[in-house]
Amino acid sequence: MDENWVKSLLPKERVNEFFEAFYFGEEPAYYLELGLREWKPEEGKIVLELRLSARPGKCLVCNLTSGLPPVLKKHPILNLKGIVKMS
């Protein structure tokens, strides 16, 4: 398992589709990707993380305080529960 494989679980096309649905065509305030924080195959442990980074000239904090975490967790386009099951 490597970083590229983890990123392939949440491809840019799906992230873009999410942004189009969530922001109604407006440019979002952040970039989003899935990353590998920790992998211990001998323990059967994998820790994935959602990596948010602010886009130039945008405020990331405003989006995070406006209910974004629950949306990321439950949105069917991102399908984070499905990604966890596949890992």
Side-chain angles (χ1 to χ4, degrees), residues 10 14-15 17-23 32 68-83:
L10 186 60
R14 192 166 353 151
V15 172
E17 187 178 340
F18 164 74
F19 284 147
E20 287 174 14
F22 189 69
Y23 284 98
L32 172 68
L68 184 60
V71 170
L72 293 174
K73 181 178 177 182
K74 296 180 180 181
H75 204 284
I77 292 174
L78 295 179
N79 187 23
L80 296 180
K81 286 184 181 180
I83 289 172

Side-chain angles (χ1 to χ4, degrees), residues 12 14-32 52-64 68 72:
K12 281 188 173 187
R14 192 166 353 151
V15 172
N16 290 340
E17 187 178 340
F18 164 74
F19 284 147
E20 287 174 14
F22 189 69
Y23 284 98
F24 306 105
E26 291 183 33
E27 184 181 15
Y30 54 89
Y31 297 104
L32 172 68
L52 300 173
S53 56
R55 290 181 184 240
K58 300 285 185 173
C59 175
L60 183 60
V61 176
C62 296
N63 282 278
L64 293 177
L68 184 60
L72 293 174

Side-chain angles (χ1 to χ4, degrees), residues 6-56:
V6 170
K7 286 182 180 182
S8 76
L9 296 173
L10 186 60
K12 281 188 173 187
E13 296 80 18
R14 192 166 353 151
V15 172
N16 290 340
E17 187 178 340
F18 164 74
F19 284 147
E20 287 174 14
F22 189 69
Y23 284 98
F24 306 105
E26 291 183 33
E27 184 181 15
Y30 54 89
Y31 297 104
L32 172 68
E33 69 179 14
L34 190 64
L36 177 63
R37 179 182 292 179
E38 182 179 8
W39 182 42
K40 295 182 178 178
E42 66 280 356
E43 296 177 22
K45 180 179 179 180
I46 181 172
V47 179
L48 303 175
E49 61 187 3
L50 282 178
R51 296 178 180 161
L52 300 173
S53 56
R55 290 181 184 240

